[in-house]
Amino acid sequence: MIPSVTSSDAGSGDESLTWDPAVREAVLDLDRLASWQARSDRLLEAEGAGHLVHDLPLRADGRGVGIESRPWRIDPIPMVLNAGTFQWLAAAIEARMDALELVVDDLYGAQVVVRERIVHGDALFGTPAFRPVAIGSPPPKRWITTYAIDLMRTVDGAWEVVQDLTDAPPGLGYALLNRSVTSRVVPELMFESGVASLARYPARLGAALAAASDAVSPRTVLFSGGIDHPSYVDHSYLAVQLGVHLAEGPDLVVRQGSVWLRTLDALEPIDVIYRRLEDPGVDPLEVGALGSAGVPGLLRAVRSGSVSLANGHGVGVLEAPHLGDAIDQAMERLTGEAPLLPRRRPDSVPARSPSFGPSGVSTVSSVVRMFAVRDDERVWVLPGGTGRILHPGDDPRTPTPCAAKDVWVLGITIARPVQVKLPQVDFSRSVPTRAADSLYWMNRAAERAEVMVRTTRVISARLEQDPSLGSLAGGAWSARMRLVSLGIRRDRVDDPTVELALSVNPSMLRTELAENADRVAAEIGSLLTEATSVREYLSVTTGRVLEHLARLRGDLQRHVAAVDDFDAILADFAALAGLWSESTVRGPAWRLGDVGRRLERALA
C-alpha cells in the first residue's frame, strides 16, 4: 500500500535537522569529524579500495590495468532519511520497478507503446542499447532482478528521478562497503540514532538471484569485467558478501548449450549469472563485445533456458536519456497510473545538506542512489544507499567520483529475510583457473620483491655505516655489490669476467640501489594487482597489510625510502607470508600460491 503522502511531504529540507539535538551536536563536532574522517579513510583503504590506483603495472598475463575508479572518501556526515520518507520512497521505487518491468517486456514483446507511438519506433530502434535479438525471447522469470535509481531532493522538498539504472546497476557493493566502514567509525552514534541495518540485505539479494532460476539449488557467479572495470571494487566486495565466485570472461565457457565455470578440478555448471558487466560486453558473437570481456555463446545459452541472466539482456534500453519522457509515458499507459516519482526538471535546484571537507563543515548538493531487488514475492528496497556529492558544474547523472555519503534510515525495523537453501561454494576446492593464476603470480611477486628489498637493505645499511666502502680498493666492493644487485634483479650481465673493479665508478652503486627501489615498487604493484583480483581468497587482515604496502610503494616511487623504510617493507612481507600460511584454506589455491613463492625463492 502506497502511503498517502506526496513527494514533497515525504521529505522537506534537511532531515538531519530533525535529529536528537545531542546526536546532531556530536555529528557536527569539528574535532570528532576530523578524527572520523581519518579513521574512515584508513578503513576504506584497508578494505581494498585504496589498492586500486590508476598506475598499477601490467599483469602477469600481459594485460594492462586502466582503472577509472579512484579511491574515494566517505563524508563523515551522513545523509539522513526518516521512516516516513523512506517508506514513501520505497513504495514509489517498488511501483516504478514493476512498471519498468512491464515496459521492457512490452518493448521486446507486443510493442503496444510503439504501435500507439508513445515510444516512437525511430527513437527506439535507433538506440544502441536496444537489442532486436531479444524480441520474443523473454527471460523465464523476469527482466529486472536488481535495480538502482538516482534521486534528487529539490529545494522545495520534492523528490525527482535523476536516472534509472537497469542494465548492470552499479553501487550496491559501494553502499555496503561505506556502511561497513561507517559502522566501525561511529558504532555508538548509529546505535543511539536507531539506524536501520544493512547486514541482512546480501541475503535478500542472494534470494532474489536464486529466484531468477527454476533450479532447486542454483549455482550463482558474479560476472565482472575484471580489475580494469570502473566498478571493480564494487564487484569484488559484493562477491565476498554474497559468498560466490567473482568470474571474468575467461573463467566462463559455453559447452553443450550450458555455461560452465573453469576450475582447477573440472568444469562446474552455472545456473545464474549475476551480470555486473554492461550489455555491450556480454557476448562477442552477438553484441560485438568490447575487448575480451565477454563469453562467446552466452546469450544463446540464456535463450535455451540452461542459465539465467540477471539482469536480462537488453534492459539497458530503459536507461537511454532521450527516451526518458517516453518511458514515463509508457509506464503510465501500461499501469494506468502516473509514476509517483517525476523525472528531474531542467530547472530543478537540488537541496543542500551539511558536509565535512578541508575547510570544515559546509553545505553541498548531492544525489542519493537507492537499490532494490525482486524475488518471487515482492520488491525489497535497501534501507539506505549511497549519497554522491555534487561539485560545482557536475551533471547529477555523473557526479565527480571523489566523495560519498552513507545514507541512514532512522526509525524502522527490517524484517528478517527468508532463508533460501543455496549451494555452499567450497573455496578450498572450487578454484577458477584465472584466480589460481593470480594467486601464483601474487606470491611470486611478493617473494621477488622481498629478496630485492632484503638485498638493497643490506647494501644500503653497510654504506650508511661505512661510506668509505664505496671507494675501497678502487671500487672493488662497489663492483661486487653492483653485480649482486644486478643478479637479484636478473638483469643481464654481458661479461662478468671483466674486471669491473677497475672501471666502476662508486657512485654507480647508488644508482643501482635507486633502480632497485623502482623495481621493488613495480613488484609491489604487481602483487597488489593480482591480490585485488582474488579478494575472496584473502583475509581482511591481509587487506590491511596490502594497504600499508601500497603506501610504502608510493614512498619508493618518490625515492624517499631509507633503510628504516626497507625494514617496514620486510615486516609487511613477513606478515603477508604468515597470513598466507595461517589464514588461507589449504586447498589447490593455497598450493599454487605456495609453489609460486617457493619457486621464486629457489631462483633467488
Side-chain angles (χ1 to χ4, degrees):
M1 178 67 69
I2 304 290
S4 57
V5 295
T6 66
S7 170
S8 180
D9 295 333
S12 58
D14 176 14
E15 295 194 7
S16 65
L17 296 175
T18 64
W19 288 9
D20 178 271
V23 174
R24 175 177 168 76
E25 181 180 355
V27 168
L28 299 182
D29 183 274
L30 283 176
D31 292 334
R32 292 183 180 181
L33 286 172
S35 173
W36 292 346
Q37 183 72 80
R39 289 183 61 194
S40 68
D41 289 346
R42 186 172 63 253
L43 289 171
L44 190 63
E45 291 181 343
E47 286 286 1
H51 309 159
L52 294 184
V53 291
H54 67 281
D55 60 343
L56 290 179
L58 291 176
R59 298 182 64 174
D61 57 10
R63 282 192 292 157
V65 182
I67 296 173
E68 298 300 329
S69 56
R70 306 292 191 267
W72 65 98
R73 305 191 82 183
I74 302 175
D75 190 335
I77 302 178
M79 182 179 292
V80 179
L81 302 177
N82 61 39
T85 299
F86 172 73
Q87 289 169 352
W88 186 88
L89 287 175
I93 291 170
E94 179 178 355
R96 190 174 185 89
M97 188 175 178
D98 287 340
L100 289 171
E101 177 77 21
L102 293 176
V103 171
V104 72
D105 192 59
D106 183 72
L107 293 179
Y108 290 114
Q111 295 191 339
V112 171
V113 296
V114 177
R115 292 201 307 271
E116 296 180 3
R117 299 186 65 79
I118 296 172
V119 177
H120 289 267
D122 290 345
L124 175 65
F125 302 135
T127 301
F130 183 73
R131 304 297 178 202
V133 71
I135 295 176
S137 302
K141 290 293 192 72
R142 60 190 61 86
W143 290 93
I144 307 173
T145 299
T146 63
Y147 171 63
I149 183 172
D150 282 348
L151 299 169
M152 185 181 76
R153 187 170 52 195
T154 64
V155 289
D156 58 4
W159 288 90
E160 296 179 347
V161 177
V162 174
Q163 62 181 336
D164 297 297
L165 297 160
T166 54
D167 182 28
L172 179 56
Y174 291 132
L176 297 175
L177 176 55
N178 290 344
R179 175 57 60 86
S180 173
V181 170
T182 305
S183 63
R184 282 180 281 172
V185 173
V186 288
E188 298 85 1
L189 184 61
M190 296 184 70
F191 177 78
E192 294 170 3
S193 303
V195 179
S197 171
L198 307 184
R200 297 188 180 99
Y201 201 76
R204 282 288 180 209
L205 174 58
L209 294 171
S213 171
D214 290 323
V216 176
S217 185
R219 173 72 183 277
T220 302
V221 296
L222 189 151
F223 186 22
S224 169
I227 193 172
D228 48 356
H229 190 282
S231 299
Y232 181 76
V233 177
D234 182 31
H235 303 173
S236 175
Y237 190 80
L238 198 53
V240 173
Q241 298 304 304
L242 290 170
V244 301
H245 278 307
L246 187 147
E248 300 179 25
D251 295 327
L252 303 175
V253 62
V254 177
R255 293 285 187 274
Q256 300 177 341
S258 298
V259 180
W260 306 77
L261 178 68
R262 287 188 172 106
T263 71
L264 294 180
D265 281 349
L267 295 178
E268 298 180 0
I270 299 300
D271 301 300
V272 179
I273 296 178
Y274 177 25
R275 179 170 65 86
R276 299 306 305 276
L277 183 63
E278 290 73 14
D279 189 32
V282 170
D283 185 343
L285 295 184
E286 298 195 24
V287 188
L290 304 176
S292 60
V295 180
L298 173 60
L299 294 179
R300 179 174 295 181
V302 171
R303 288 194 294 271
S304 73
S306 65
V307 67
S308 297
L309 199 62
N311 287 343
H313 173 57
V315 296
V317 68
L318 298 174
E319 297 182 2
H322 69 281
L323 293 180
D325 292 336
I327 295 296
D328 284 1
Q329 295 168 19
M331 285 193 286
E332 184 172 359
R333 165 65 178 82
L334 296 175
T335 64
E337 298 178 349
L340 292 171
L341 288 165
R343 201 165 291 273
R344 179 174 64 97
R345 299 162 294 172
D347 59 346
S348 293
V349 178
R352 301 180 70 85
S353 59
S355 175
F356 179 72
S359 58
V361 177
S362 59
T363 59
V364 298
S365 300
S366 56
V367 296
V368 57
R369 179 165 295 179
M370 300 186 71
F371 305 90
V373 297
R374 168 170 278 289
D375 57 19
D376 288 335
E377 297 179 9
R378 51 165 289 190
V379 171
W380 302 93
V381 179
L382 180 77
T386 180
R388 298 185 298 163
I389 294 174
L390 297 176
H391 289 221
D394 275 358
D395 182 340
R397 293 170 57 90
T398 55
T400 304
C402 292
K405 282 178 169 285
D406 189 15
V407 178
W408 293 5
V409 174
L410 310 182
I412 66 169
T413 301
I414 306 301
R416 186 179 184 85
V418 177
Q419 296 298 318
V420 177
K421 185 179 180 180
L422 296 175
Q424 296 296 313
V425 178
D426 185 356
F427 283 102
S428 69
R429 299 298 308 173
S430 179
V431 183
T433 52
R434 185 263 321 161
D437 189 63
S438 292
L439 290 166
Y440 171 81
W441 287 108
M442 180 192 84
N443 278 277
R444 287 202 65 169
E447 188 69 25
R448 187 181 301 127
E450 181 178 351
V451 170
M452 290 182 187
V453 170
R454 197 173 298 280
T455 302
T456 305
R457 190 254 183 238
V458 170
I459 298 173
S460 298
R462 295 202 65 184
L463 274 177
E464 285 187 6
Q465 295 167 4
D466 187 359
S468 65
L469 277 175
S471 57
L472 183 66
W477 184 86
S478 294
R480 289 196 294 272
M481 293 303 101
R482 181 168 179 259
L483 281 174
V484 169
S485 178
L486 291 171
I488 288 297
R489 280 160 37 188
R490 295 184 205 150
D491 286 351
R492 182 168 173 266
V493 180
D494 293 331
D495 188 1
T497 65
V498 175
E499 296 184 28
L500 295 177
L502 300 178
S503 59
V504 170
N505 185 329
S507 64
M508 292 181 65
L509 178 59
R510 297 191 181 275
T511 302
E512 293 292 344
L513 296 178
E515 291 181 2
N516 281 359
D518 291 336
R519 193 70 65 89
V520 168
E523 293 297 340
I524 293 176
S526 297
L527 161 65
L528 297 174
T529 301
E530 302 297 347
T532 303
S533 69
V534 286
R535 179 190 177 92
E536 64 268 33
Y537 293 94
L538 305 176
S539 67
V540 174
T541 308
T542 302
R544 302 281 179 102
V545 177
L546 294 174
E547 181 269 332
H548 192 246
L549 275 172
R551 291 177 179 272
L552 293 174
R553 173 175 177 263
D555 292 340
L556 290 171
Q557 290 177 310
R558 293 189 298 272
H559 300 289
V560 295
V563 172
D564 290 343
D565 298 300
F566 291 136
D567 288 339
I569 294 174
L570 289 173
D572 282 344
F573 279 127
L576 199 61
L579 288 166
W580 175 259
S581 296
E582 301 298 332
S583 300
T584 306
V585 178
R586 298 295 182 94
W590 181 87
R591 283 195 292 274
L592 273 169
D594 200 54
V595 165
R597 181 178 292 276
R598 291 178 183 276
L599 176 60
E600 195 64 43
R601 183 169 298 179
L603 291 172

